[in-house]
Structure formats: C-alpha cells, structure tokens
Amino acid sequence: MHVETPLISSDTVVDRYIEPVRLSRLSVVNGQRYDGELFLQTSPEFAMKRLIVAGATAIYQICKAFRKGEAGRQHNPEFTMLEWYRVGDDLSAGMELLADFAKEMFGAGQVDNVSYRDAFVQHANVDPFSASIDQLRSACENSNVDTSSFVGDQDRDSWLNLIMSEVVEPKLGIAGPVIIFHFPASQSALAKVCTDSNGNEVAERFELYVNGVELANGYHELLDADELERRNEKVNSQRVADGGDQLPADSKMLEAMRCGMPACSGVAVGVDRLLMVLLEKDSISEVIAFPFNRA
C-alpha cells in the first residue's frame, strides 16, 4: 500500500552522523501555537513505523528527505527517498526482497550476499571485528588512504567508516549488485543485534551496492523500545563529544513501539543515486533538475 507521512515533524531520527534541518517554532491554524521544535524529516522511517504499529502490513512511499550539510557527488541536502516496510520479514526475507528489487532495476541474474567482515578481509585485508586500532590505521596506509587529518583519539567506528568509504566501498558491486550484511553491532542504528557464526555481535543490517555506490540501507527492525531509548542516549552522548548537539530522544514512534511493534524488515533507497547509477552519470546533480547550488 502506498502511504504518505509528514515531511515536518516533532520527531527525527537520532543518528550520530545525520544532521536534520531544524525549523523555527511555527504557528498553526486557528490561532493555536505549536511550541515544540520541528524538523524536516531525514527519513520517513519514524512515521512509517507508527503505521506498522497501527496495523499496516506492507507499505511504501516515495518522498523528499532533507539532511543538513550533505552536499557532494553523491549527496544533496534535499533528495528523493523510496522506503518500504513489510511485516513478517526477518533479515533473510528483507535481503531477498531487496535483491528482487535490484534484479528488476539492473536486469541482474543474481545478487551476491557478502558479510561486512568478508568484504573487509577481501578488499582491505583486515578483520573489522578483531583488528586493533593500529591495524586499522595500517590498513588505511597500505591502501594509500590519506589519514593526515584523521588523527588523535578517533574511535573504532570512525576508522571502520573511513576504511569502508575509501577502501572497501569503491570495489563493491562492480561485477553486479551486491548486498553487504552483518555490520558491527556498534553500527546497528535501528536494527536488531545477533551473534554471527564467528561469535561476533553483529547488526541485522544490510546495504545494496552497485558500481561502488551505496544505494539502499535496510534493517531487520529493532522492536525493543527500551533498547532504542538506550541507543538514543548513547548516540546523543557521541554527538556532544563530536561537538554537536543532542536530538530529541523521546518520540511518537517510541511511544508507538511501547504498544507493540510486529516483527518486520524495512529498506530505504536513495532514488537520485539509483538514477545516477542506472544512467551512468558521475554525480547526482546530473539527475536532479535543481541541485542545491541552483535551487
């Protein structure tokens, strides 16, 4: 079922690296004033999950999303997102549905599934779960990644993200679409966490890559509201440590989850990036009529 959810909301995804666009307090109709903080949504995720709690079973939408400060070859502060959720899907079913989507979009005969760990071992020659910080730094240097501005007390995830973006990601999906799964538990966002066959705590999170470009991000969704509350607190602490500010830890979605959210899987697809790859363009500005610098 196609759905529409608000672009302006008091809720926003609490993420260490995603900065929402904040709106000044707005007056609403009939002279009533809304005194809370409002945001342009970085994703329709929270509202769509509220619909799942309310009884929806399979929903999707194509909408605008906004992220402050994100501009570049693969980013525009205002972009188009396709997002879907289906009740009853676990990690495997969620990945299978995303693979079906990729086959349809790219005419691919198959879509490979590769674990985050195996992708790092193959392309960066390092185990992301057991390597020390020094070994992660060496992996960067061995791949000629400039780390001169990446010094000091960087945490483990920062090094992993650097290796992923600079070393691993450009090599993914060159021969055809590939889905990377089982990210580190510390990068779970709103995904469930489990233990893999090697005994590592991993997130039931998966991403689609084609020609070195990340096109989609999916989760076997977290259902535990208390755990989400703990994650929000941790992320807000990280944001403050990074020199940023906190985002609202409480949300209407959190309230909805406490009523009981059914098991489901969800995926978000960057439509502009998808078109960029399909049309073999070098930048999403080539597939957006009015990119940010001309908006």
Side-chain angles (χ1 to χ4, degrees):
M1 181 169 61
H2 174 254
V3 299
E4 287 188 348
T5 56
L7 295 181
I8 298 175
S9 176
S10 58
D11 287 353
T12 188
V13 174
V14 181
D15 188 280
R16 181 176 180 180
Y17 302 108
I18 295 176
E19 192 63 40
V21 177
R22 300 169 185 262
L23 300 179
S24 58
R25 291 180 172 84
L26 301 176
S27 294
V28 295
V29 296
N30 298 329
Q32 296 178 342
R33 184 172 179 81
Y34 184 87
D35 289 326
E37 190 167 28
L38 295 171
F39 303 88
L40 290 177
Q41 285 303 275
T42 60
S43 160
E45 179 174 9
F46 277 22
M48 292 184 76
K49 287 180 177 177
R50 287 166 64 189
L51 292 176
I52 291 293
V53 172
T57 57
I59 56 176
Y60 78 96
Q61 72 171 302
I62 299 175
C63 64
K64 289 294 186 180
F66 306 84
R67 297 183 181 181
K68 184 179 179 181
E70 294 194 6
R73 190 175 70 85
Q74 296 182 17
H75 297 85
N76 197 65
E78 176 184 346
F79 61 100
T80 303
M81 182 175 284
L82 162 64
E83 192 152 334
W84 70 72
Y85 293 87
R86 192 165 69 177
V87 170
D89 282 4
D90 58 8
L91 175 67
S92 178
M95 291 171 59
E96 183 177 354
L97 182 57
L98 179 57
D100 289 343
F101 174 83
K103 290 175 184 177
E104 186 70 23
M105 291 293 100
F106 293 95
Q110 71 174 50
V111 176
D112 293 330
N113 296 329
V114 179
S115 73
Y116 181 95
R117 178 185 180 275
D118 287 348
F120 265 68
V121 171
Q122 179 182 353
H123 298 300
N125 197 32
V126 66
D127 187 323
F129 295 99
S130 63
S132 66
I133 295 294
D134 285 340
Q135 288 173 320
L136 295 177
R137 182 184 291 107
S138 295
C140 289
E141 294 170 352
N142 293 338
S143 297
N144 297 317
V145 175
D146 182 9
T147 61
S148 58
S149 62
F150 197 81
V151 294
D153 240 354
Q154 297 288 354
D155 59 41
R156 183 180 193 80
D157 278 322
S158 295
W159 283 103
L160 291 177
N161 288 336
L162 180 64
I163 295 172
M164 182 65 173
S165 63
E166 298 296 326
V167 182
V168 179
E169 188 173 292
K171 300 172 184 175
L172 296 177
I174 304 302
V178 62
I179 294 176
I180 304 298
F181 67 98
H182 278 174
F183 284 67
S186 56
Q187 300 178 23
S188 56
L190 275 76
K192 284 189 171 184
V193 170
C194 67
T195 302
D196 70 6
S197 58
N198 296 307
N200 300 308
E201 274 207 332
V202 293
E204 295 194 78
R205 171 184 170 189
F206 51 100
E207 293 187 345
L208 172 66
Y209 288 85
V210 178
N211 289 339
V213 179
E214 178 209 334
L215 298 181
N217 183 34
Y219 309 139
H220 182 205
E221 301 291 347
L222 176 70
L223 306 179
D224 186 338
D226 291 337
E227 172 60 19
L228 177 57
E229 200 167 32
R230 286 190 289 270
R231 291 185 190 181
N232 285 346
E233 291 175 1
K234 179 179 179 181
V235 169
N236 270 327
S237 296
Q238 291 173 325
R239 287 176 60 88
V240 170
D242 292 340
D245 54 8
Q246 297 190 20
L247 295 172
D250 293 326
S251 64
K252 293 181 176 66
M253 189 198 74
L254 199 57
E255 295 174 12
M257 285 179 68
R258 295 194 188 284
C259 297
M261 181 171 160
C264 62
S265 182
V267 170
V269 179
V271 175
D272 310 288
R273 287 190 191 178
L274 176 64
L275 291 174
M276 181 187 80
V277 173
L278 282 169
L279 297 174
E280 299 181 348
K281 301 299 182 180
D282 293 326
S283 169
I284 62 170
S285 65
E286 297 180 75
V287 298
I288 298 175
F290 297 100
F292 189 68
N293 63 336
R294 296 202 302 271

